[in-house]
Amino acid sequence: MTKKEYADILLPGVKHTKEEYETIYKERNLPEGAIVTRFAPSPTGFVHMGHLFTSFVANRFARQTNGICLLRIEDTDTKRTVENGVKQIIKDVNDYGIKFDEGAISETENDGEYGPYIQSERKDQYQAFAKHLIEHDLAYPCFMTEEESEEIRKIQESKKERLGIYGKYAKYRDITMENAIERINNGEKYIIRFKSPGNFENKVIAEDAVRGELEFPENDQDIVIIKQDGLPTYHFAHLVDDHLMRVTHIIRTDEWLSSLPIHIQLFDTFGFKRPIYAHLSPLTKKEGNTVRKLSKRKDPELAVSYYHEEGIPTEAVKIYILTIINSNFEEWFDSNKDKDFLDFELSFDKVSTSGSLFDLEKLKNISKNYLSTISAKELYERTLSYSQEFDNEFYDLLTKYKDYSINVLNIEREVERPRKDIESFSSVKKEIGYMYDELFEKDETQFEYKDFYDKDLLTYYIDNVYDESDDKNTWFNKIKEMCPKFGFASETKEYKKNPDNFKGSVAQACEIIRVAVTHRTMTPDLYEILKLLGKDRIKSRIEKFNI
Ligand code: GLU
């Protein structure tokens, strides 16, 4: 029996050969330096920041080199694959404007010349490559039962040896074709293992675009390449897919760093050019003096859905990712205020290798900054669509008072230093809710009003002083003029000189008005607020303000 016939028996029904597949999936014709990369999630659960991080970064590198970023669904671990996992990943990354050139480009479209892009549909490709190895005596069927492998593990543990199938533990590595066929005829189950040519005593050098040169012991594990269900393991699928899809850069999280010796060995064994690897550090969080990985259980901010539910704009999250991923981004962004954050050129050598500290407070600050730069109209529209999903009451008010709401949001916006009080679409209601009578009337803010209460001053002000047509200077001067009548100093200086002679200064007089009409001690510009409320509503609020 020839090796080829043997391979046909071990993996029957494979339609094409490795060589045929290499002709079908042609070398790409792209400009020099174009990065072909991929986002390759496994649909095994919720979509987390790690996904967003990797996909965004991979996308940026492709975009900035006029390359390709493809989306490949890695669903070979059928036991862990969850329903709607793919749909959710695509939806979430699309929400962030991350578009793929190929692959599962939307929930319904799977596009490109290197597909299918779903691993469970590429069985034939993997098996063709596995057959090639079998034919070259670089792979073999392994008939090890669970009991046998458990036995090996116990021995290794008791002798404190490395775990795995290597050296003398690779029991079936030299199985004869005849023995294998006999076992198959007896109905014994098998998997296909790689016959590793490596020696653990040797060192191997791998290049990582982020970490530089890395030295590892050579891989000597006879790793599984084709499982019993005929699907490949991650290691083998990585080789086959990234080779056939003509991927140049593997941007992935560093949980795969320890598998690098296996991966480069596979590429070397086939004589393929190794791709360039870039391993990204995991997202970490500081807790007291310790730094730990973000965890699903402890950190709600790990889930991408958290930002959607909180109404944190996608732009802020992306700016934050850039801040973490490249240490020079912040400085660039500060000195290029007129540019879009996507104009920043990411570079591998500026990627942190020591863990990416994730700081939600910092992200929220970025969000405040970002939201201060968009127009009142845009802020209105986006808050409206957020509220439509999460807050019906506010949605109705925003719809009913559209122009008014935009004007409220515009207070201290189109100025040199716009206000930075809005952190998310969900916080808009909290920040401007008092401007709606429907919410103001229900307001139960409990704070000590006493210091801000002077009914005589308030009544006099609204009945005799306030005039909607006054400009800001006139408005303020009128408050100053009114001050002495109620025991307040018209000028702060005057008050500071003789504090005992006054109840307060013009500043406190303004506070009294502010608190009566907003129930807050801090608001944007009072003049603008009063103007938008209008005399009647101010009067009614003052009348109702009693303690
Ligand atoms: N499916 C792997 C994961 O989700 C992909 C890693 C890679 O990008 O190669 O971790």
Side-chain angles (χ1 to χ4, degrees), residues 38-44 51 54 72-75 119 234 238 242 250-253 255-256 263:
R38 78 294 190 278
F39 173 49
S42 302
T44 51
H51 288 122
T54 317
R72 183 170 73 223
I73 303 298
E74 307 214 320
D75 59 348
Q119 287 187 330
Y234 168 73
H238 156 46
D242 287 317
I250 313 292
I251 300 169
R252 63 184 180 189
T253 50
E255 67 187 285
W256 297 110
H263 300 160

Side-chain angles (χ1 to χ4, degrees), residues 45-52 88 92 96 283 294-310 312 317 358 360 363:
F46 78 125
V47 187
H48 54 72
M49 280 308 274
H51 288 122
L52 197 59
Q88 196 55 44
D92 283 353
Y96 278 80
L283 296 172
L294 280 188
S295 100
K296 182 176 177 180
R297 198 167 48 81
K298 294 190 196 155
D299 311 303
E301 70 266 33
L302 181 58
V304 171
S305 55
Y306 171 85
Y307 303 88
H308 181 66
E309 284 155 20
E310 287 290 305
I312 294 176
V317 177
F358 194 83
L360 189 56
L363 198 169

